[in-house]
C-alpha cells in the first residue's frame, strides 16, 4: 500500500513539473533558511560548553549603587580575590587576572604580537582547556613561565614540542614554556587567548600591582572562580554580596558582589539594574523567530498551490471514493505526497546550506559546519522535516479528501474557488511576514546610519594608534620627536585608554556640593601632553594641560561629568580623587569614547608624565597614508627593533562598535530577501493557475474589445490588494517590536511614515513584477485558441 502511495505521489510530481518545482524550490529555500539559522543559534548557545565542568565557572562582578542607579562593573580588586579565596569555603579555585592584554613574543628572529591573559595559577583549573604538553596543575606556578596555544607555539618554534624552551616577552623578560594547550575554538568567549602568563609575574615585575592588594576600591582586575562540585550560585550569593562592605571605602560600601556563570558570558553581556537580562540573546531569539516564519511562508506556498489546483485532482478523488477508498486512505495518500516533496526539498536544502556556509561564516565570524556524523542532528532534522511536511500537507490533505464524489463526478462542485478565501488569508499572512522583515531591515539600517552620522566629539580621521611596550616606553620621547620632525605626524600623545574606549572607572571621594552618602564613579583616563590637541577634542572652558609638574594635581572633566557633579563654575574648584586633592583646570566637549548609541560617559582626564599603554598620533593632512605608514613603521622599528610595527586606524576601531548592528542588519536583509523570494514563488504559481483558470474569460473579454493593459489590471488587481492589506497589517506589528528594540539605545532614530511607504512600495513593485509575466502572457494569447473548444 505504501509503495503504491509513493508511486502515485512520484507520478503526480513528474506530471506537474512546474508546480512541483515551485513547491520544492520554495520549501527547500525555507528549510535551508531555518536550518542555517538553527545551526547558527546552536553555535551561539554552545559557547564554552565544550569545557569540562563549565557549569561551575564564574566571573566576579560588582553592582555599584550610584545614587539609586545600579551600575555593573567587571573590574574588581585583588583584595576581593583574596577575600573570596580565604573566607568562602564553597569556592574551589580563584584566579585574578589583568582581564586580557597583548604582548610581544620573540624566539630568535621570529616575532609575534598577540593577545593573551595574565592570570592566577588556578586559571587552568577553572577553565579546563585541553593541554597538549605540560600539566595544567603546575603550568602557572613559576612566575617566569608561559603557556602557549598550539598555533602560537608552532609559529614561534615550528613545532608544539616546546616544553622548557624560552620565549622573550616584550624584549624584557625570558619566560620558560611550561605548557601547550589546544587552540581555543571560535565558540568561546576566550577565543582571543594565545598565551597565559602567571599573575605572580605581574606582581614581581610591576610595583603598582603589589600595592593594589590593600583596598577593595582598587578595581582594575578581573576575577574568575570555580565553585566546588554540587555547589550552586544560589548557595554562595548571600555570602559574597556584602563581602566588601566592612571597609571604610565609598566604592566598597556601595558595591554588591555578584558572579556571572561562564555559560552566560556570550549571550547575556548587558546588565540592567544589576541583572544580566539582555545582550546577544535578544538577536538569537529574533532570528529563531525569523527562521520559523520563513519556513512557515514556504509551507503556505505548498498549501496554496496544492489547494488551488484541487480541480485538477477532484475527479481523481471522486473516482477513488466511488470505487471504495475511505477518506483516511486519501488523507494518507496526500500526506505521503507532502512527505515526499518535503524530503526532496530537505535534500536540496542541505545542498543550499553547504554552498552558503562559507559566505555565512565569513559574514558572522563563525565556524559553523553541518554535523553530518551526529546522530542527534539527523534525528532532530528529520523530525522537523516530518513536522514541516505535516504542517504543509495537512490542509490540502483534509481539504481534497473532503470532496463529495457524486457532486465531483457530476461536475456540480466548484472545488477550486471554495478555498479561495483561505488562500487569500494565507497570502496576506505570508506577505505580512515578508513586509515586516523589509521594514525591520530598513529601520536597522537607518539606526546604524543615524549613529554613524552622530558627532563624535573628536576627529577620528587620519588618527592612528599603537600599543606601548617596554622599549617604546624607554624611547618614547625620542620616537615622538622623530615623528613630529619628519612631517608625517601632526601630533602625538599617549594615554591609559584607547581613543575609542575608557578602560578604567574610579570614584571621586569628594567635591563641592556633595550630598551626604552621595557616590560618583566615572571614567578615568590618565593622559600625556597634547592629548586633546591630538584627538581634536575641544576645550570649552579653562585650559589644557601644560606638561608641567603642577599639572599632575590638575584634572579636566567632560561636560556630562560637570553636570553629574552639579558644578556651576567648575574652573579652579578642588575635588578629592584617589586620596589626593586635584584642581579642575578645564572642561572638554563630550566625546563618544564608549558607545556611539549611548550618552557620553562622565569622564575625568588626569595628567601623567610617564608614558602610558596607548600611543595615539595623527597623520599630517598632506601625506599619503600608505607611504606614511611605511615610513612611520621604520621609525618605530628603530626604537623597538625586537617586534614588528603594529598599528590600527582609530576610525576602524570606532566603526567596529557598529559590528553587531551591522551583522544583524545584513542578516535581516538576507532573510527578508529570501522570504520575499519564497513568497514571490507562491505568487508566481498562483498567478499561473488563475491565468489558466480564466483563459476562456480572458478570450471572451479580448473578443469584446478589452486591451492588454485592461486584462493585465484585471489579473493583477486582486494580488495587489492582498499585498496592500499585508502592508497595513505588517506596519503596526513591525512598529511595536522595532520601538521596543530601539529602547535599548539612548541615541535612536525616529520611525517615520517614510519607512512604511518605502516598504509598501517595494512589496507592491515586487508583486507586480512577479505576476506580470503570467498576466501579460495570458492577456496577449490568441483568443481563438482559448475559445475553440466552445
Amino acid at each position: 500500500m505504501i509503495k503504491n502511495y509513493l508511486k502515485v505521489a512520484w507520478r503526480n510530481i513528474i506530471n506537474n513539473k512546474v508546480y512541483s518545482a515551485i513547491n520544492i524550490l520554495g520549501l527547500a529555500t525555507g528549510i535551508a533558511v531555518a536550518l542555517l539559522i538553527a545551526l547558527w543559534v546552536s553555535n551561539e548557545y554552545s559557547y564554552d560548553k565544550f569545557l569540562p565542568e563549565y557549569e561551575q565557572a564564574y566571573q566576579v562582578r560588582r553592582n555599584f549603587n550610584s545614587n539609586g542607579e545600579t551600575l555593573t562593573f567587571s573590574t574588581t580588586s585583588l583584595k576581593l580575590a583574596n577575600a573570596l579565596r580565604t573566607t568562602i569555603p564553597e569556592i574551589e579555585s580563584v584566579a585574578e587576572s589583568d582581564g586580557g592584554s597583548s604582548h610581544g613574543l620573540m624566539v630568535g628572529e621570529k616575532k609575534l604580537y598577540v593577545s593573551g591573559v595574565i592570570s592566577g595559577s588556578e586559571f587552568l583549573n577553572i577553565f579546563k582547556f585541553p593541554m597538549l604538553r605540560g600539566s595544567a596543575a603546575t603550568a602557572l606556578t613559576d612566575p617566569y613561565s608561559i603557556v602557549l596555544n598550539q598555533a602560537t607555539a608552532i609559529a614561534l618554534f615550528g613545532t608544539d614540542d616546546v616544553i622548557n624552551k624560552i620565549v622573550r616577552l616584550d624584549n624584557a623578560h625570558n619566560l620558560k614554556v611550561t605548557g601547550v594547550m589546544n587552540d581555543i575554538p571560535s565558540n568561546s568567549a576566550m577565543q582571543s587567548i594565545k598565551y597565559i602568563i602567571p599573575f605572580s609575574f605581574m606582581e614581581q615585575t610591576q610595583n603598582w600591582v603589589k600595592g593594589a592588594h590593600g583596598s577593595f576600591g582598587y578595581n582594575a582586575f578581573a576575577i574568575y572562580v570555580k565553585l566546588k562540585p554540587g555547589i550552586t550560585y544560589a548557595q554562595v550569593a548571600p555570602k559574597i554580596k556584602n563581602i566588601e562592605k566592612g571597609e571604610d571605602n565609598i566604592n566598597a560600601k556601595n558595591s554588591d558582589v555578584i558572579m556571572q556563570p561562564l555559560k552566560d558570558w556570550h549571550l547575556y553581556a548587558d546588565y540592567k539594574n544589576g541583572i544580566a537580562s539582555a545582550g546577544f540573546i535578544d538577536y538569537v531569539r529574533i532570528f529563531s523567530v525569523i527562521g520559523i516564519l520563513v519556513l512557515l511562508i514556504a509551507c503556505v506556498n505548498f498549501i496554496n498551490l496544492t489547494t488551488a489546483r484541487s480541480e485538477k485532482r477532484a475527479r481523481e478523488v471522486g473516482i477513488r471514493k466511488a470505487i471504495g477508498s475511505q477518506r483516511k486512505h486519501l488523507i494518507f495518500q496526500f500526506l505521503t505526497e507532502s512527505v515526499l516533496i518535503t524530503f526532496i526539498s530537505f535534500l536540496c536544502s542541505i545542498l543550499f546550506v553547504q554552498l552558503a556556509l562559507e559566505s555565512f561564516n565569513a559574514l558572522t565570524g563563525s565556524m559553523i559546519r553541518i554535523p553530518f556524523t551526529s546522530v542527534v542532528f539527523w534525528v532532530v532534522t528529520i523530525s522537523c522535516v516530518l513536522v514541516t511536511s505535516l504542517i504543509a500537507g495537512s490542509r490540502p490533505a483534509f481539504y481534497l479528501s473532503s470532496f463529495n464524489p457524486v457532486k465531483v463526478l457530476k461536475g456540480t462542485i466548484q472545488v477550486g474557488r471554495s478555498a479561495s478565501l483561505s488562500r487569500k488569508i494565507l497570502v496576506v499572512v505570508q506577505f505580512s511576514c515578508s513586509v515586516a522583515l523589509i521594514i525591520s531591515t530598513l529601520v536597522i539600517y537607518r539606526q546604524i546610519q543615524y549613529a554613524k552620522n552622530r558627532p563624535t566629539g573628536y576627529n577620528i580621521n587620519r588618527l592612528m594608534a599603537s600599543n606601548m611596550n617596554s622599549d617604546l616606553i624607554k624611547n618614547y620621547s625620542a620616537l615622538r620627536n622623530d615623528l613630529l620632525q619628519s612631517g608625517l605626524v601632526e601630533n602625538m600623545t599617549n594615554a591609559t585608554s584607547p581613543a575609542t574606549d575608557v578602560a578604567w572607572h574610579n570614584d571621586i571621594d569628594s567635591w563641592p556640593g556633595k550630598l551626604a552618602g552621595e557616590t560618583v564613579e566615572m571614567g578615568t583616563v590618565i593622559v600625556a601632553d597634547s592629548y586633546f590637541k591630538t584627538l581634536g577634542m575641544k576645550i570649552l572652558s579653562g585650559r589644557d594641560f601644560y606638561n608641567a609638574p603642577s599639572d599632575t594635581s590638575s584634572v579636566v572633566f567632560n561636560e556630562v561629568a560637570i553636570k553629574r557633579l552639579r558644578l556651576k563654575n567648575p574652573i579652579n574648584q578642588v575635588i578629592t580623587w584617589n586620596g589626593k586633592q586635584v584642581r579642575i583646570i578645564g572642561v572638554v566637549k563630550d566625546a563618544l569614547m564608549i558607545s556611539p548609541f549611548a550618552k557620553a560617559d562622565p569622564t575625568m582626564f588626569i595628567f601623567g608624565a610617564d608614558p602610558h599603554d596607548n600611543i595615539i598620533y595623527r597623520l599630517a593632512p598632506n601625506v599619503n597614508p600608505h607611504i606614511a605608514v611605511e615610513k612611520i613603521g621604520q621609525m618605530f622599528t628603530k626604537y623597538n627593533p625586537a617586534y614588528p610595527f603594529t598599528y590600527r586606524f582609530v576610525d576602524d576601531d570606532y566603526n567596529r562598535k557598529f559590528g553587531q548592528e551591522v551583522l544583524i542588519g545584513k542578516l535581516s536583509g538576507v532573510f527578508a530577501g529570501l522570504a520575499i523570494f519564497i513568497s514571490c514563488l507562491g505568487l508566481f504559481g498562483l498567478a499561473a493557475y488563475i491565468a489558466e483558470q480564466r483563459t476562456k474569460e480572458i478570450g471572451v473579454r479580448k473578443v469584446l474589445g478589452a486591451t492588454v493593459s485592461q486584462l493585465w489590471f484585471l489579473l493583477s488587481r486582486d494580488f495587489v490588494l492582498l499585498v496592500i492589506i499585508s502592508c497595513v497589517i505588517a506596519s503596526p506589528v513591525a512598529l511595536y517590536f522595532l520601538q521596543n528594540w530601539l529602547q535599548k539605545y539612548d541615541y535612536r532614530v525616529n520611525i517615520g511614515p517614510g519607512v512604511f511607504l518605502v516598504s509598501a512600495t517595494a512589496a507592491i513593485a515586487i508583486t507586480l513584477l512577479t505576476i506580470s509575466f503570467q498576466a501579460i502572457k495570458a492577456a496577449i494569447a490568441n483568443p481563438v485558441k482559448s475559445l475553440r473548444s466552445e
Side-chain angles (χ1 to χ4, degrees):
M1 182 67 74
I2 293 176
K3 184 178 179 181
N4 181 63
Y5 287 153
L6 288 172
K7 280 184 177 180
V8 173
W10 180 252
R11 189 181 301 128
N12 279 311
I13 292 172
I14 296 300
N15 291 338
N16 297 279
K17 293 182 177 64
V18 174
Y19 290 96
S20 297
I22 290 173
N23 269 333
I24 290 171
L25 181 58
L27 272 178
T29 305
I31 294 171
V33 170
L35 179 57
L36 196 59
I37 291 177
L39 291 171
W40 179 70
V41 168
S42 175
N43 180 70
E44 298 304 309
Y45 273 107
S46 72
Y47 263 59
D48 294 305
K49 292 182 180 178
F50 60 88
L51 289 172
E53 304 174 31
Y54 72 89
E55 305 97 332
Q56 300 301 101
Y58 291 80
Q59 181 173 4
V60 180
R61 304 188 189 277
R62 294 179 299 119
N63 280 339
F64 179 73
N65 180 7
S66 179
N67 307 308
E69 181 184 6
T70 302
L71 307 176
T72 302
F73 296 98
S74 58
T75 50
T76 50
S77 66
L78 296 181
K79 186 173 182 179
L80 176 58
N82 294 331
L84 294 172
R85 188 178 284 116
T86 56
T87 62
I88 309 297
E90 291 85 357
I91 293 178
E92 178 181 307
S93 301
V94 177
E96 51 278 273
S97 167
D98 69 340
S101 54
S102 295
H103 288 276
L105 305 180
M106 181 170 65
V107 176
E109 295 299 317
K110 293 181 180 178
K111 306 167 186 177
L112 298 177
Y113 195 81
V114 291
S115 59
V117 67
I118 300 175
S119 193
S121 59
E122 295 180 288
F123 183 84
L124 289 173
N125 182 49
I126 299 171
F127 308 110
K128 294 181 176 293
F129 296 113
M131 298 291 289
L132 297 174
R133 311 276 181 179
S135 167
T138 60
L140 298 174
T141 54
D142 180 359
Y144 288 86
S145 62
I146 186 171
V147 174
L148 303 173
N149 74 337
Q150 186 180 28
T152 303
I154 292 172
L156 289 172
F157 296 97
T159 177
D160 60 21
D161 187 9
V162 295
I163 297 298
N164 294 326
K165 293 186 178 180
I166 301 300
V167 174
R168 189 153 181 83
L169 177 74
D170 291 336
N171 202 29
H173 305 281
N174 290 330
L175 305 181
K176 182 171 66 176
V177 179
T178 53
V180 177
M181 61 183 183
N182 273 343
D183 296 340
I184 299 175
S186 61
N187 62 331
S188 172
M190 294 172 283
Q191 60 185 281
S192 62
I193 294 178
K194 313 300 181 189
Y195 64 81
I196 307 170
I197 296 172
F199 195 79
S200 54
F201 167 81
M202 195 173 179
E203 292 176 311
Q204 290 196 14
T205 58
Q206 300 185 36
N207 290 329
W208 69 273
V209 178
K210 298 175 185 177
H213 284 272
S215 172
F216 285 123
Y218 208 119
N219 295 302
F221 306 93
I223 300 174
Y224 309 109
V225 303
K226 179 184 177 183
L227 302 182
K228 290 181 178 177
I231 300 297
T232 64
Y233 175 57
Q235 295 172 265
V236 176
K239 296 185 177 183
I240 66 171
K241 180 179 179 180
N242 299 316
I243 197 170
E244 291 189 346
K245 292 189 172 150
E247 184 175 295
D248 187 18
N249 176 286
I250 293 176
N251 189 292
K253 285 182 177 180
N254 289 278
S255 292
D256 291 342
V257 177
I258 61 170
M259 298 194 304
Q260 185 182 32
L262 171 63
K263 63 183 179 67
D264 289 346
W265 290 3
H266 175 61
L267 294 178
Y268 295 90
D270 296 343
Y271 277 77
K272 187 175 182 180
N273 296 322
I275 300 173
S277 57
F280 203 67
I281 184 64
D282 295 337
Y283 297 114
V284 169
R285 289 168 178 163
I286 288 170
F287 282 104
S288 298
V289 173
I290 288 175
I292 294 171
L293 287 178
V294 173
L295 184 57
L296 286 176
I297 288 171
C299 291
V300 166
N301 273 0
F302 183 91
I303 295 169
N304 275 347
L305 290 176
T306 306
T307 54
R309 293 185 59 78
S310 55
E311 186 175 335
K312 296 288 184 180
R313 305 197 64 180
R315 293 188 182 278
E316 175 193 342
V317 172
I319 292 170
R320 283 176 177 271
K321 282 192 171 184
I323 61 176
S325 287
Q326 298 180 18
R327 189 182 182 190
K328 63 180 180 180
H329 296 143
L330 294 171
I331 290 173
F332 194 81
Q333 168 67 57
F334 294 127
L335 286 178
T336 301
E337 291 183 23
S338 173
V339 170
L340 181 59
I341 289 175
T342 307
F343 265 94
I344 294 172
S345 302
F346 171 64
L347 295 177
C348 294
S349 74
I350 292 287
L351 176 61
F352 292 168
V353 171
Q354 190 65 34
L355 293 173
L357 269 179
E358 184 176 352
S359 298
F360 186 80
N361 285 333
L363 176 63
T364 60
S366 307
M367 293 293 291
I368 299 170
R369 296 287 181 269
I370 299 177
F372 290 109
T373 58
S374 170
V375 175
V376 174
F377 168 76
W378 289 111
V379 170
V380 171
T381 51
I382 291 174
S383 299
C384 291
V385 168
L386 288 173
V387 171
T388 301
S389 65
L390 292 176
I391 293 172
S394 56
R395 162 71 181 166
F398 284 96
Y399 173 69
L400 291 172
S401 63
S402 66
F403 292 160
N404 186 311
V406 176
K407 291 183 178 180
V408 167
L409 295 176
K410 282 185 176 181
T412 59
I413 187 171
Q414 298 294 323
V415 292
R417 296 181 181 178
S418 61
S420 62
L421 178 61
S422 63
R423 282 202 303 275
K424 289 177 180 178
I425 292 173
L426 289 174
V427 168
V428 168
V429 171
Q430 191 179 46
F431 264 87
S432 296
C433 295
S434 300
V435 172
L437 287 175
I438 293 174
I439 295 170
S440 301
T441 302
L442 291 176
V443 170
I444 292 171
Y445 174 78
R446 287 190 62 207
Q447 172 66 7
I448 294 170
Q449 295 306 119
Y450 187 64
K452 281 187 174 182
N453 295 331
R454 181 185 181 187
T456 60
Y458 60 105
N459 184 4
I460 61 176
N461 296 317
R462 303 178 73 85
L463 195 62
M464 296 180 63
S466 296
N467 291 330
M468 193 80 78
N469 61 31
S470 56
D471 282 348
L472 290 175
I473 288 174
K474 289 186 291 186
N475 299 300
Y476 175 75
S477 296
L479 173 64
R480 185 172 186 269
N481 289 335
D482 284 0
L483 286 172
L484 292 176
Q485 290 174 8
S486 70
L488 299 169
V489 170
E490 188 176 59
N491 280 299
M492 181 170 173
T493 188
N494 64 83
T496 53
S497 294
T500 56
D501 200 4
V502 176
W504 182 25
H505 285 73
N506 207 288
D507 296 322
I508 296 179
D509 301 326
S510 66
W511 64 93
K514 177 185 176 182
L515 303 176
E518 188 176 8
T519 60
V520 168
E521 182 167 318
M522 66 174 60
T524 306
V525 184
I526 301 177
V527 304
D529 63 300
S530 299
Y531 178 83
F532 300 117
K533 189 176 181 181
T534 303
L535 269 69
M537 297 173 69
K538 183 179 180 181
I539 299 291
L540 298 177
S541 61
R543 66 173 179 86
D544 197 348
F545 298 113
Y546 284 153
N547 194 20
S550 60
D551 273 345
T552 57
S553 297
S554 302
V555 61
V556 173
F557 283 107
N558 65 356
E559 296 171 274
V560 68
I562 293 296
K563 291 177 184 176
R564 176 65 188 82
L565 298 174
R566 302 183 304 278
L567 298 176
K568 300 292 185 182
N569 299 296
I571 304 303
N572 290 323
Q573 298 218 42
V574 176
I575 67 165
T576 304
W577 168 78
N578 208 25
K580 69 176 183 179
Q581 290 188 332
V582 293
R583 185 177 301 278
I584 301 172
I585 63 167
V587 178
V588 69
K589 187 176 179 62
D590 289 338
L592 304 178
M593 302 181 70
I594 298 181
S595 171
F597 298 102
K599 299 174 184 176
D601 198 45
T603 308
M604 58 189 299
F605 301 90
I606 304 290
F607 179 76
D610 296 329
H612 308 295
D613 295 338
N614 300 275
I615 305 173
I616 306 168
Y617 43 101
R618 182 177 298 282
L619 297 181
N622 59 337
V623 300
N624 183 303
H626 299 289
I627 297 173
V629 166
E630 183 180 351
K631 293 182 177 179
I632 290 170
Q634 294 171 2
M635 296 185 190
F636 266 82
T637 302
K638 175 182 174 182
Y639 294 107
N640 185 36
Y643 294 99
F645 170 55
T646 59
Y647 66 91
R648 59 190 184 276
F649 283 93
V650 172
D651 57 350
D652 290 338
D653 288 347
Y654 186 78
N655 288 331
R656 273 191 283 272
K657 293 177 180 290
F658 299 92
Q660 191 174 92
E661 284 72 23
V662 170
L663 170 63
I664 298 308
K666 288 181 178 177
L667 290 177
S668 296
V670 169
F671 295 137
L674 290 172
I676 286 290
F677 170 73
I678 296 169
S679 299
C680 288
L681 277 178
L683 275 188
F684 184 84
L686 284 177
Y689 165 74
I690 289 173
E692 180 184 340
Q693 290 295 101
R694 302 178 72 173
T695 299
K696 290 183 172 58
E697 176 192 346
I698 293 168
V700 171
R701 288 179 180 272
K702 286 197 74 174
V703 169
L704 295 176
T707 65
V708 172
S709 59
Q710 289 173 329
L711 294 172
W712 172 80
F713 178 77
L714 175 71
L715 294 172
S716 305
R717 179 181 55 197
D718 289 345
F719 289 110
V720 172
L721 179 62
L722 293 178
V723 173
I724 291 173
I725 294 171
S726 299
C727 293
V728 172
I729 293 172
S731 295
V733 174
L735 178 63
Y736 172 78
F737 287 104
L738 287 169
Q739 283 184 329
N740 286 339
W741 174 71
L742 287 171
Q743 291 305 309
K744 66 185 287 187
Y745 302 111
D746 294 325
Y747 193 79
R748 54 184 177 267
V749 71
N750 292 319
I751 305 177
V755 171
F756 304 107
L757 291 175
V758 169
S759 301
T761 301
I764 293 169
I766 291 170
T767 300
L768 289 174
L769 286 173
T770 302
I771 62 179
S772 288
F773 174 79
Q774 294 293 348
I776 295 172
K777 178 183 176 182
I780 64 176
N782 188 343
V784 174
K785 292 183 179 180
S786 60
L787 297 175
R788 181 175 294 164
S789 61
E790 300 296 327

